[in-house]
Amino acid sequence: MSNNRYEDPILHELKSLLDREGPKELRGRWSVGDSINVPVSSLPRGFISYDGMVVKDDTDFTVVVENRVIISVAVDMKKEVIKPVERAGSHEQVIEIMAGRDPETCKYLEDSIVGCLIKNEDLDLRRGLHINVGSEEMEMDFGMGIEKRGPGVMTAEGVLKFTVRHEQSRG
């Protein structure tokens, strides 16, 4: 092992993709790993991390790794707590960022996170990286984070879970 700080190539490939083609309001606001202490001024913010990995011996010469990835998005919602609102704008902002749809066609917007991942299903063919959007489920959850990101920080949050598949030859 080297003394240099390790950077996971798959998580950094996803971060680079989302910075380049993902939601405009999150460009330059992605972190690898989920942060607990986040200044309100840095919201909205996206976090990319692993939930786990499954390593399979696919054939005599191939190892398949299924990297379970979690993307979380946090949006400031304190203004909605301070005064009564008829519409939870922060919740809809999270939905738009995560899985916004065209109002006419209901297709995912290409710069939403889901739209960006679908558009770039072949994440990096040279390195054998594929986002499993067709053969695996992409699961999304939405909710609130009361002081989840730090004291006094209230967020509307979305969590997306999916798999990045990597095949490598053995040897």
Side-chain angles (χ1 to χ4, degrees), residues 10-133:
I10 295 171
L11 295 178
H12 282 275
E13 183 70 29
L14 288 166
K15 179 180 179 260
S16 178
L17 169 67
L18 290 166
D19 252 346
R20 197 174 54 248
E21 298 182 33
K24 291 172 184 51
E25 55 267 80
L26 290 181
R27 292 189 182 160
R29 292 177 169 257
W30 287 98
S31 297
V32 173
D34 204 351
S35 298
I36 296 172
N37 200 4
V38 178
V40 174
S41 62
S42 73
L43 296 174
R45 188 147 198 86
F47 309 94
I48 304 170
S49 57
Y50 285 129
D51 186 34
M53 295 177 196
V54 176
V55 180
K56 301 178 189 178
D57 189 358
D58 197 36
T59 67
D60 289 338
F61 303 105
T62 306
V63 173
V64 176
V65 181
E66 294 176 356
N67 303 278
R68 294 188 311 254
V69 177
I70 294 180
I71 292 180
S72 302
V73 171
V75 172
D76 182 22
M77 68 173 288
K78 197 166 193 174
K79 62 185 172 280
E80 293 171 11
V81 176
I82 295 171
K83 60 181 184 177
V85 294
E86 292 181 24
R87 183 172 169 252
S90 58
H91 179 69
E92 287 190 339
Q93 183 182 8
V94 170
I95 293 171
E96 180 182 17
I97 289 170
M98 299 287 289
R101 296 176 182 268
D102 179 283
E104 298 295 319
T105 64
C106 282
K107 290 184 178 181
Y108 289 112
L109 300 172
E110 285 191 5
D111 67 345
S112 72
I113 293 171
V114 171
C116 183
L117 296 176
I118 290 171
K119 180 182 168 190
N120 294 282
E121 185 174 14
D122 293 325
L123 184 59
D124 188 336
L125 292 176
R126 181 183 59 83
R127 294 190 287 177
L129 298 176
H130 305 279
I131 299 169
N132 286 349
V133 294

